């Protein structure tokens, strides 16, 4: 009888330990990088170009707080999924562009990046890391040029 009772107690301890470990794992995952995801859509101010897709980001850490050039700010990782730039007026010499603006932390320094062409007349999916203040824009661009025109923020 003593032997069975010890087995029962050990079984209860194992079950309790397993439940505690499962809870810790679930809480650990939930407590770290909780992602924010949303769909987006915007049309350029000329109504010639449209962008759409899904944007997801999550907190990934903090820039070196001892760095006087922007340290201590939050870093974000994420992705754009099925992000599309669609030309709404065919044959007018203008293409649709999904352009980005963001802050990037690289080699200990924050740098502002603007007019970064992510998609031109097509669809792409990509990931990013160590960014902040990301904004997507619907823009027009004359064919064979680099200047973005009539841009409108999606958020």
């Amino acid at each position: 009888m003593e032997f069975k009772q010890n087995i029962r107690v050990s079984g209860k301890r194992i079950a309790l330990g397993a439940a505690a470990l499962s809870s810790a794992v679930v809480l650990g995952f939930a407590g770290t990088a909780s992602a924010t995801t949303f769909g987006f859509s915007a049309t350029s101010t000329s109504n010639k170009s449209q962008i759409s897709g899904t944007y997801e980001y999550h907190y990934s850490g903090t820039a070196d707080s001892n760095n006087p050039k922007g340290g201590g700010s939050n870093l974000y990782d994420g992705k754009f999924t099925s992000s599309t730039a669609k030309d709404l007026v065919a044959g007018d010499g203008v293409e649709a562009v999904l352009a980005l603006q963001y802050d990037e932390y690289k080699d200990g320094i924050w740098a502002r990046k603007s007019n970064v062409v992510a998609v031109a007349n097509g669809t792409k999916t990509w990931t990013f890391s160590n960014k902040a203040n990301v904004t997507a824009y619907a823009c027009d661009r004359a064919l064979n040029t680099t200047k973005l025109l009539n841009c409108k923020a999606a958020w």
Side-chain angles (χ1 to χ4, degrees):
M1 187 71 168
E2 183 68 24
F3 182 72
K4 288 182 182 178
Q5 188 177 16
N6 285 341
I7 291 174
R8 228 178 286 135
V9 170
S10 296
K12 287 179 185 176
R13 286 183 186 155
I14 290 170
L16 183 59
L21 179 61
S22 296
S23 297
V25 169
V26 169
L27 289 174
F29 286 136
T32 55
S34 166
T36 299
T37 303
F38 60 90
F40 65 91
S41 179
T43 305
S44 64
T45 59
S46 69
N47 292 317
K48 292 182 177 185
S49 301
Q50 181 180 40
I51 64 167
S52 61
T54 303
Y55 173 59
E56 176 183 313
Y57 68 95
H58 62 272
Y59 171 80
S60 61
T62 305
D64 178 12
S65 59
N66 296 322
N67 185 337
K69 295 183 179 181
S73 299
N74 291 340
L75 299 171
Y76 296 91
D77 292 349
K79 67 181 175 178
F80 282 83
T81 305
S82 299
S83 298
T84 301
K86 181 179 179 183
D87 186 353
L88 298 177
V89 182
D92 66 347
V94 172
E95 64 182 338
V97 173
L98 187 161
L100 299 173
Q101 178 175 291
Y102 52 84
D103 296 330
E104 180 176 48
Y105 192 70
K106 187 175 180 182
D107 299 326
I109 298 172
W110 281 102
R112 181 68 146 182
K113 305 290 184 177
S114 297
N115 299 328
V116 177
V117 175
V119 182
N121 283 349
T123 301
K124 285 173 60 177
T125 295
W126 69 93
T127 61
F128 64 87
S129 59
N130 296 336
K131 308 280 190 277
N133 305 314
V134 176
T135 305
Y137 291 86
C139 301
D140 303 331
R141 180 171 70 181
L143 294 175
N144 302 315
T145 66
T146 58
K147 184 176 181 182
L148 300 178
L149 307 166
N150 308 312
C151 296
K152 183 178 178 183
W155 63 84

